Amino acid sequence: MALEVEVIKASRKISDRNAGKLSDVLRVAPYARVSTDTEEQLNSYKSQVAYYTDLVSKRSDWVLVDIYADEAVTGTQVTKREDFQRMINDCMDGKIDMIITKSISRFARNTLDTLKFVRMLKEKNIAVFFEDENINTLTMDGELLLVILSSVAQQEVENISANVKKGLKMKMKRGELVGFQSCLGYDYDPATKKISINEAESEIIRYIFQRYVDGMGAYVIAKELTEAGHKTKNGRIEWQDTSILGVIKNEKYKGDLLQGKTFTVDPISKRRLENCGEEDQFYVKNHHEPIVSEEVFDKAQAILHRRGENRRRGEKGKRDKYSRKFAFSSMLECAFCHTSFSRRCWHSGTPHEKAVWQCITSTKKGKKYCPHSKGLDEKLIEDAFVESYKLVCRNHTDIIDELIKRMESVFSDQNSQRRLNKLNSEIQALEQKRCKLIDLCLDEKIDRPTYEQKYAELDASLTGLLEEKTQLEQSAQEEIDTSKRLEHFRKVLRTNELLPSFDRTVFESIVDKIIIGTDADPEQLNPYKLTFVYKTGFQNSIQGKKRGQSSKKPLKNEGGELCSYSQHNTCRIRCIVGKTVM
């Protein structure tokens, strides 16, 4: 018996099906988007909304669910399009049967996002209709055409991004300000594209740099600004140490401009990274009025570089965090292992609580790595400085006179600035000779071998003079810095003749570091000796009291005379005028 097969022709489309039920009316959701907030684009946005409203109203088999539209957002990242996300959620909830949009580029400019959402909606029998391409995702035979067209849309984005990036680089190369809004201390005028000093905020910038140069860390400066009630550029009252470091690193405060600090990896993810040499940067000197001098800025950078040196070397266990939270932070040096001291709190939460400073090597690695160091009471170190300062003040005339004599002898021996002036004249003369030599060669007045020989001789001489000039400039700057430090030291001494108690400001103004202990005599190591090294190079040493040592018995100094300060927690005082630090 032969089989008979009757073919029943298809009469509907899958797009007519809604959640397994047949329907003659489609619930339609138009989607519109513009990528910028310019007047032209916003007019286009309004036109799209009006167009789709009219389009749906003319179709009897369509019913409008809602118009979903995003203004001034990119099409490369779906997460930033709130209305797009709302539309997709409504589709998943079964409220929409078909999405209508102008083109693939309006739906998404990312190939992966286009395919992801088309497939997701297709599983729910929800169609996406692209008008310009005339593609209905439920009736198309395959995804090949969609992939090709969405890839073209993505390539268009990448081409636009490359052209924009090229244009921005050309502006930077001309010295134009690109992408700057404002920063603390400066105001930005969008009309003239110029920046000007904000007098009120500039005082905060000068304060930050001055405190940092004086030895403060970012943590302490941030705390001081918070307590003083100063506000950040964003209006926040609480300051962070990262904000302080951002100010210190910002070259704008010395009047220069560095552009290209960050770059966009690609226009799809829009991920930005710090520029570590992957893209060109553009540095403009004397771009605008500075808030701090170049000398202060460079000094701050030198301090910043020194404090971060260990971290850059990648040494484990030696993170050189220089917060200066406490007066003696990063100021105490162990004489035995040459590491810093850290602050610890003994008997915390009890009436016997006290702050003690201990060698980092001893506390972190173990006593066997620095067996001779001892913990010192913070109060003992403070009292020792008061005694050291009294000694300096009572004899400061002789000490300063001695230092001035040494400084004058050093300056008279070096004369870096005078030699530098002479060197500049010699360099200028050699450059003129080199230019004349080139002219002679171009005019064919000398032969090529002679030219090359003479040019090599001049170039070698010029290179030697330039190297000498670099060294002399450094020496001249060191002489200037030393002179300024000496003058500052004298000023502090005259202003603060005596200290009734420990004063952190005075301490940080004149002391460079304190060396704890001495290993001069291997048989008699002294862990309680404190050597104060002042910023001028002057030093004096104080013998701290050991725990359990009685201070009632008058002690004699090294000369056999009674010590005038034996009634305090510090005893023997010895004055050592050290070599001036250049």
Side-chain angles (χ1 to χ4, degrees):
M1 181 174 150
L3 295 175
E4 293 184 8
V5 179
E6 181 184 356
V7 179
I8 302 173
K9 295 290 186 180
S11 59
R12 304 188 69 90
K13 299 177 182 178
I14 194 171
S15 57
D16 297 331
R17 183 182 297 272
N18 181 26
K21 297 180 181 180
L22 297 177
S23 175
D24 293 329
V25 179
L26 290 178
R27 296 169 296 176
V28 177
Y31 177 73
R33 178 186 64 82
V34 293
S35 56
T36 66
D37 57 0
T38 61
E39 184 177 353
E40 181 183 356
Q41 287 283 298
L42 291 178
N43 288 335
S44 171
Y45 164 77
K46 294 176 183 177
S47 299
Q48 289 182 57
V49 173
Y51 167 76
Y52 286 120
T53 304
D54 183 59
L55 178 66
V56 175
S57 64
K58 290 180 179 179
R59 294 282 299 264
S60 59
D61 56 339
W62 288 359
V63 61
L64 181 65
V65 177
D66 196 358
I67 294 181
Y68 301 85
D70 288 305
E71 298 181 58
V73 291
T74 177
T76 57
Q77 292 180 309
V78 172
T79 55
K80 294 185 177 181
R81 293 189 279 163
E82 294 180 1
D83 247 26
F84 184 89
Q85 294 285 1
R86 184 170 68 89
M87 179 181 68
I88 296 298
N89 290 334
D90 287 348
C91 288
M92 295 298 103
D93 292 339
K95 298 178 182 179
I96 299 171
D97 297 326
M98 184 169 69
I99 296 172
I100 304 174
T101 187
K102 185 175 182 292
S103 65
I104 294 175
S105 63
R106 295 296 93 191
F107 188 76
R109 285 197 165 182
N110 184 331
T111 305
L112 293 177
D113 284 341
T114 301
L115 294 176
K116 170 188 172 183
F117 287 104
V118 164
R119 288 171 178 171
M120 183 191 300
L121 296 171
K122 199 171 182 179
E123 289 178 0
K124 293 283 186 179
N125 291 329
I126 299 172
V128 182
F129 180 65
F130 303 104
E131 288 189 287
D132 288 355
E133 294 84 3
N134 194 26
I135 295 176
N136 187 320
T137 57
L138 287 187
T139 60
M140 66 180 182
D141 295 331
E143 293 180 346
L144 179 59
L145 181 60
L146 185 63
V147 170
I148 293 173
L149 293 175
S150 59
S151 298
V152 170
Q154 179 173 321
Q155 186 61 47
E156 182 184 356
V157 172
E158 294 174 354
N159 292 340
I160 292 172
S161 175
N163 291 333
V164 170
K165 187 181 290 187
K166 185 177 180 180
L168 292 177
K169 285 187 176 181
M170 291 176 68
K171 286 186 176 182
M172 293 178 188
K173 196 171 183 179
R174 293 196 298 266
E176 296 182 27
L177 195 61
V178 174
F180 178 77
Q181 297 299 323
S182 63
C183 64
L184 187 69
Y186 285 109
D187 293 326
Y188 176 68
D189 185 359
T192 60
K193 296 185 179 180
K194 300 290 184 182
I195 59 176
S196 58
I197 293 179
N198 183 312
E199 294 300 334
E201 295 177 354
S202 65
E203 291 303 318
I204 300 176
I205 299 299
R206 294 188 185 98
Y207 177 81
I208 291 173
F209 273 93
Q210 188 58 52
R211 294 294 286 159
Y212 196 77
V213 169
D214 287 343
M216 292 298 98
Y219 176 89
V220 173
I221 299 173
K223 186 178 180 181
E224 291 174 351
L225 291 174
T226 301
E227 292 175 350
H230 294 294
K231 293 184 178 180
T232 66
K233 190 69 175 179
N234 297 327
R236 290 193 292 268
I237 299 176
E238 187 174 356
W239 289 74
Q240 302 295 331
D241 52 355
T242 52
S243 301
I244 303 300
L245 292 175
V247 169
I248 297 297
K249 296 175 183 178
N250 197 336
E251 78 293 335
K252 293 183 183 69
Y253 295 119
K254 68 170 181 174
D256 295 348
L257 177 67
L258 175 61
Q259 300 199 98
K261 294 179 181 178
T262 60
F263 69 98
T264 304
V265 178
D266 62 79
I268 306 303
S269 67
K270 294 192 180 297
R271 188 162 62 105
R272 294 193 68 82
L273 296 177
E274 183 180 357
N275 189 355
C276 298
E278 294 87 352
E279 295 283 346
D280 293 339
Q281 291 183 309
F282 304 88
Y283 196 93
V284 185
K285 292 187 70 68
N286 303 319
H287 178 267
H288 52 270
E289 185 180 356
I291 292 179
V292 299
S293 66
E294 188 170 359
E295 179 187 358
V296 171
F297 185 86
D298 291 344
K299 191 176 294 185
Q301 302 316 298
I303 295 172
L304 183 68
H305 185 272
R306 186 180 71 247
R307 293 174 182 176
E309 189 173 2
N310 289 335
R311 192 156 52 247
R312 284 190 300 275
R313 287 199 300 262
E315 296 184 27
K316 295 182 179 178
K318 290 189 70 176
R319 185 174 182 271
D320 194 12
K321 185 177 181 181
Y322 200 86
S323 66
R324 294 306 313 278
K325 183 176 181 179
F326 305 103
F328 301 124
S329 297
S330 303
M331 295 284 281
L332 307 182
E333 179 185 312
C334 179
F336 307 107
C337 66
H338 307 291
T339 59
S340 300
F341 272 55
S342 63
R343 190 178 190 267
R344 292 189 158 204
C345 192
W346 286 3
H347 311 296
S348 179
T350 69
H352 306 289
E353 179 178 340
K354 66 176 180 178
V356 175
W357 289 84
Q358 293 180 289
C359 171
I360 291 178
T361 301
S362 177
T363 56
K364 290 193 174 182
K365 292 186 176 181
K367 191 66 180 174
K368 64 180 181 179
Y369 291 96
C370 189
H372 305 298
S373 65
K374 303 291 182 182
L376 292 180
D377 191 336
E378 187 173 70
K379 186 66 169 59
L380 182 147
I381 303 174
E382 292 177 352
D383 292 343
F385 170 68
V386 173
E387 297 297 338
S388 171
Y389 188 77
K390 284 179 181 178
L391 177 65
V392 174
C393 288
R394 291 183 180 183
N395 303 278
H396 75 272
T397 303
D398 297 337
I399 294 172
I400 295 300
D401 289 343
E402 176 66 23
L403 287 172
I404 291 174
K405 289 178 182 178
R406 292 191 178 199
M407 293 291 292
E408 289 175 348
S409 65
V410 170
F411 290 151
S412 61
D413 290 342
Q414 291 186 356
N415 294 323
S416 296
Q417 192 59 50
R418 280 184 291 182
R419 171 59 184 155
L420 191 59
N421 295 335
K422 183 179 179 182
L423 199 61
N424 285 329
S425 300
E426 294 177 6
I427 291 172
Q428 187 176 2
L430 280 178
E431 288 177 340
Q432 290 176 354
K433 287 183 179 180
R434 189 167 62 174
C435 290
K436 290 179 180 178
L437 183 63
I438 294 172
D439 291 338
L440 290 174
C441 180
L442 293 174
D443 295 338
E444 298 182 351
K445 293 182 178 179
I446 57 173
D447 55 26
R448 190 72 183 179
T450 305
Y451 163 77
E452 291 178 352
Q453 179 186 352
K454 294 291 183 182
Y455 188 90
E457 292 174 358
L458 288 173
D459 191 58
S461 300
L462 190 59
T463 301
L465 291 178
L466 289 173
E467 290 176 355
E468 185 181 353
K469 179 185 176 181
T470 302
Q471 295 175 356
L472 281 174
E473 285 176 340
Q474 184 178 356
S475 299
Q477 186 60 46
E478 288 175 351
E479 291 175 16
I480 294 171
D481 291 343
T482 304
S483 177
K484 288 182 178 179
R485 289 205 307 270
L486 179 60
E487 185 59 34
H488 180 66
F489 184 70
R490 294 177 64 183
K491 188 185 296 183
V492 171
L493 285 174
R494 289 169 181 170
T495 306
N496 306 279
E497 292 188 356
L498 289 175
L499 281 178
S501 60
F502 179 77
D503 188 312
R504 177 172 177 169
T505 303
V506 176
F507 170 76
E508 290 171 341
S509 297
I510 62 176
V511 174
D512 185 49
K513 65 178 177 179
I514 306 174
I515 301 174
I516 307 296
T518 178
D519 56 355
D521 186 354
E523 296 182 359
Q524 294 183 345
L525 300 175
N526 189 346
Y528 296 101
K529 187 173 184 179
L530 288 79
T531 302
F532 292 84
V533 180
Y534 290 83
K535 291 184 178 180
T536 57
F538 167 78
Q539 299 180 16
N540 61 19
S541 298
I542 294 182
Q543 177 63 44
K545 187 186 74 171
K546 301 178 183 178
R547 288 192 297 274
Q549 175 182 321
S550 172
S551 59
K552 295 180 180 179
K553 183 180 179 180
L555 298 174
K556 294 183 179 182
N557 62 20
E558 295 181 353
E561 299 175 352
L562 288 175
C563 175
S564 59
Y565 305 118
S566 58
Q567 68 270 24
H568 295 284
N569 286 340
T570 54
C571 38
R572 291 143 96 203
I573 302 176
R574 180 166 58 93
C575 177
I576 307 171
V577 179
K579 181 181 178 182
T580 303
V581 179
M582 293 301 296

